[in-house]
Amino acid sequence: MSEQSLPRDAHPEYADTLPEYAERVLDVAERIPSGRVMTYGDVAEWLEEGGPRQVGRVMALYGGAVPWWRVVRSDGVLLPGHELRALGHYRAEGTPLKEASRAAENHLPRLDMRRARWDGGDRAEGHT
């Protein structure tokens, strides 16, 4: 199990030292509506700081306490190692998916990024 799937309190060394940037990334993840997603790059752009790799690192270290399945790769591929858990969340939330082709590895669907992607429409509301 990767660190991304663990709750924040499972990392006692981080409990009192959550970096300000990480708090901001996690705040954005919590704002993404059910059934919608943002890419790592979208989150960085929304924050006007960092990039996809920095957002991915934050999610890997601290993302278990937020809806991590809503922060995704830009190609719509499900998070490696967590595909089935993420798929369960997507189906429960009605997140748009593209069914897998027969050639797709493990026949797993991808996110339909054109329909599922959230642009942060309520950006100003409650955002600091």
Side-chain angles (χ1 to χ4, degrees), residues 19 28 50 62 70 118 124:
V28 173
Y62 311 109
R70 296 181 190 155
W118 184 60

Side-chain angles (χ1 to χ4, degrees), residues 69-102:
W69 58 92
R70 296 181 190 155
V71 182
V72 301
R73 292 172 39 160
S74 62
D75 62 5
V77 171
L78 306 186
L79 182 65
H82 301 279
E83 298 94 342
L84 296 180
R85 286 183 60 210
L87 189 56
H89 288 293
Y90 298 138
R91 287 186 170 146
E93 293 181 357
T95 307
L97 299 168
K98 287 184 176 181
E99 288 306 316
S101 69
R102 293 176 194 229

